[in-house]
Amino acid sequence: GRCFTLLNRDQHSWLFPERTIDQRRWYWPLAGAPTSDGTRIALFVVEMHEGGPHFLSHPIPTRLHRVELDATTLDVLSTHDESATLPDLYGWTITADGSHTYLYSHCFQQFGFDGLLGFGPCAEYLKVARVPAGAFDAPREYWNGSAWTRDHRLATPVVDGTFVMSGNNPAQVLFDRGRFLLIEKRDDWWGTTVEFGVSLRATGPFERFGSIPEPLACDRSTCDTYFASWIPWRDADGSHIWSISCNLWDGSETCRRLDLYGPTFGTISIPPP
């Protein structure tokens, strides 16, 4: 129904509570998807370390985990180290077309790096790997620009800074009715528009078809938005639903203004093929 049950243990994290160190090491869930037999969910989780003087001044993704959950109870069944492809975090966003499950990668280097606005140079890129549908233990194939290869070092971006002239492209991809739909917030925290793209292939190229101003919860000097993503169902009129997270620039104010901290939802119509 419409009710949620918290899975955390009192004040402790739901996942990796014994490893979590407040504001120094924490675990952010990325994307998840069902396994081929439907009994489990593979959830990708990135381990973050604070490399700066205070929280979120220079958070560094250091490891990637795949957590196997019971699809009914969400109990943790097993964990697997997926760090071999770092800094590429395959499992950033996941979608499937029936024959394959596609794991898109973003490096998630957003604050305190040497690039423009504090981005890491890899934040510009979205790459993709694939496995047979739901077979997360199977050998992966990576798109090298013209074919699929088993060598992740040869992977090339399917989205880069030329898509919407953005230095940070944390895109989310959804397969729907024969097409791959892309959504992202241009330059994420520092941009002002939500961008949309479409492709007939998981590997792109993605054609931009829409742009919507970010839906701020208050004046931009106080509020910001980040991480646009798809909601996997449609509105009553057939439009696609999307969401974006709202926050405050001053993190110390967030806990006092929780009415401004949360998701905002919108819809968009996808042009016909």
Side-chain angles (χ1 to χ4, degrees):
R2 295 178 178 269
C3 297
F4 291 89
T5 299
L6 292 178
L7 297 175
N8 59 305
R9 308 173 193 171
D10 298 320
Q11 298 301 313
H12 300 287
S13 172
W14 168 45
L15 298 174
F16 304 104
E18 69 286 351
R19 302 186 196 178
T20 299
I21 302 173
D22 187 40
Q23 299 190 14
R24 302 307 303 176
R25 181 171 66 205
W26 64 96
Y27 296 82
W28 269 336
L30 303 180
T35 57
S36 55
D37 62 6
T39 64
R40 292 166 292 149
I41 295 171
L43 178 66
F44 289 81
V45 180
V46 60
E47 180 178 319
M48 305 293 291
H49 285 227
E50 181 52 64
H54 57 82
F55 185 52
L56 297 185
S57 60
H58 185 45
I60 304 169
T62 58
R63 296 180 72 185
L64 180 65
H65 304 273
R66 174 168 50 93
V67 181
E68 297 273 343
L69 305 172
D70 184 285
T72 301
T73 65
L74 296 187
D75 290 338
V76 175
L77 303 177
S78 61
T79 61
H80 309 267
D81 191 344
E82 297 276 354
S83 302
T85 60
L86 290 178
D88 297 320
L89 302 172
Y90 288 96
W92 170 260
T93 179
I94 301 173
T95 196
D97 63 2
S99 61
H100 291 90
T101 294
Y102 299 94
L103 297 93
Y104 291 85
S105 164
H106 184 257
C107 72
F108 209 23
Q109 295 181 6
Q110 297 207 72
F111 307 111
F113 291 88
D114 294 334
L116 183 66
L117 301 176
F119 306 148
C122 57
E124 177 184 343
Y125 304 119
L126 192 77
K127 301 176 183 179
V128 65
R130 72 178 186 181
V131 294
F136 292 97
D137 288 322
R140 290 188 191 158
E141 297 179 315
Y142 303 85
W143 182 249
N144 70 5
S146 58
W148 296 97
T149 174
R150 292 282 178 87
D151 189 347
H152 72 90
R153 296 169 298 179
L154 300 178
T156 59
V158 297
V159 172
D160 60 22
T162 63
F163 176 59
V164 288
M165 302 307 294
S166 171
N168 186 12
N169 294 292
Q172 296 285 293
V173 180
L174 173 70
F175 179 76
D176 182 78
R177 300 186 183 184
R179 294 186 293 174
F180 292 84
L181 310 178
L182 180 149
I183 182 174
E184 69 168 72
K185 167 84 178 299
R186 183 188 302 200
D187 285 327
D188 211 19
W189 296 78
W190 293 265
T192 60
T193 56
V194 181
E195 309 289 347
F196 300 87
V198 62
S199 175
L200 293 176
R201 296 181 294 275
T203 56
F206 288 91
E207 179 183 352
R208 180 171 171 264
F209 70 84
S211 180
I212 296 175
E214 61 176 339
L216 287 167
C218 66
D219 184 85
R220 184 166 174 76
S221 62
T222 301
C223 286
D224 59 58
T225 66
Y226 65 100
F227 191 61
S229 60
W230 292 112
I231 303 299
W233 57 80
R234 295 185 180 219
D235 203 352
D237 66 359
S239 298
H240 284 75
I241 306 173
W242 55 274
S243 72
I244 194 166
S245 296
C246 301
N247 206 342
L248 286 78
W249 290 112
D250 184 350
S252 63
E253 286 295 312
T254 300
C255 62
R256 289 189 283 269
R257 292 301 311 275
L258 292 179
D259 58 311
L260 301 176
Y261 179 50
T264 296
F265 298 90
T267 60
I268 190 168
S269 297
I270 311 299

